[in-house]
Amino acid sequence: IRFTMWKGLWLPSCNSLNCWPEDTPFSYARTVTKAESGSVNIGKIEASPHIGTHIDAPFHFDDAGATVEALDINRYIGGATVIEVGEGEAITLEAIESYRIEGTTLLLKTKQQTERTVFPESIPVLEKQAVEYMASCGIKLFGIDVTSVDAIDSKTLDIHHLLYERDIMILENAVLDEIEPGYYDFVALPLKIQGADGSPVRAALRYRGGFGDE
């Protein structure tokens, strides 16, 4: 795909999104009609902050970590590299080190089609050596097209913690179905929600070039 316009990475409809079993699913309801108010329709949204494409604040997995309103939004704007690694059980150092990484965001595409309605039983997980390599490349934001950077059944969340220790923020559930590997301009701003452990984002990419371009 070659495009100069911004390309969205979010799921097209929030209403049918899967969510973690203990999370609050997305819902929207109109609470006041225009006829009732005399001027406007008014609605109410209820959802987990980890619905759809979202960022994790460090507070999500560390009681002493920063909450969303304290995060530097510059982490979520800038140059990005997109790499396709396939659907294996582990994402290894070898899977990413052969690419020249540019920018401060790295996005990993692990599948060709995003499943929007069914919560996965398992997902590929980064090996620790891959995290160390990303840190050495100056990555400040890591994004992936699955629901977590750790295994579904993990309670220790080792990769969450290792990314945080290496000063790398986390973006999960990016929709990379139509995105080819290469270099992009990137934006995915979180909402400034006081005290929140995460936030939905409307992520988008603008193509800059492929790995084989001069």
Side-chain angles (χ1 to χ4, degrees):
I1 299 169
R2 294 289 192 270
F3 51 82
T4 55
M5 299 293 288
W6 288 94
K7 183 72 174 178
L9 306 187
W10 59 90
L11 292 166
S13 172
C14 292
N15 299 73
S16 60
L17 294 182
N18 67 64
C19 67
W20 287 82
E22 64 270 27
D23 275 1
T24 303
F26 178 90
S27 67
Y28 171 84
R30 187 170 58 167
T31 56
V32 178
T33 67
K34 187 173 182 293
E36 291 169 337
S37 70
S39 58
V40 294
N41 293 303
I42 302 173
K44 177 183 73 172
I45 292 173
E46 185 176 30
S48 164
H50 301 273
I51 198 77
T53 305
H54 66 275
I55 62 98
D56 285 354
F59 180 66
H60 181 50
F61 49 89
D62 184 339
D63 285 339
T67 50
V68 169
E69 81 283 358
L71 300 179
D72 180 3
I73 63 169
N74 291 292
R75 292 294 189 100
Y76 306 95
I77 307 169
T81 301
V82 177
I83 293 173
E84 188 168 358
V85 296
E87 299 188 52
E89 293 183 2
I91 301 168
T92 65
L93 170 62
E94 290 74 23
I96 63 175
E97 68 177 349
S98 60
Y99 296 94
R100 179 170 55 88
I101 295 175
E102 294 183 359
T104 56
T105 295
L106 178 63
L107 300 174
L108 294 192
K109 180 177 182 178
T110 69
K111 54 188 183 301
Q112 293 300 313
Q113 182 65 40
T114 299
E115 173 53 60
R116 297 175 170 87
T117 61
V118 179
F119 191 76
E121 295 182 0
S122 64
I123 55 176
V125 177
L126 281 170
E127 292 186 346
K128 292 182 179 181
Q129 284 183 313
V131 176
E132 300 292 0
Y133 178 73
M134 287 191 291
S136 74
C137 293
I139 293 301
K140 297 299 182 183
L141 176 66
F142 170 70
I144 195 165
D145 58 355
V146 293
T147 55
S148 178
V149 297
D150 275 288
I152 294 294
D153 59 354
S154 175
K155 296 300 182 184
T156 58
L157 301 181
D158 294 345
I159 299 302
H160 279 81
H161 285 281
L162 182 58
L163 288 164
Y164 182 32
E165 290 166 6
R166 298 299 180 265
D167 196 28
I168 301 173
M169 296 292 105
I170 297 167
L171 182 144
E172 296 165 333
N173 257 354
V175 180
L176 301 172
D177 300 16
E178 299 180 9
I179 305 301
E180 68 178 57
Y183 305 110
Y184 294 83
D185 297 316
F186 173 77
V187 61
L189 296 180
L191 301 174
K192 194 174 183 180
I193 307 172
Q194 187 79 23
D197 63 298
S199 172
V201 298
R202 191 158 186 173
L205 290 169
R206 183 169 59 188
Y207 185 77
R208 291 169 53 190
F211 294 125
D213 296 348
E214 296 294 329

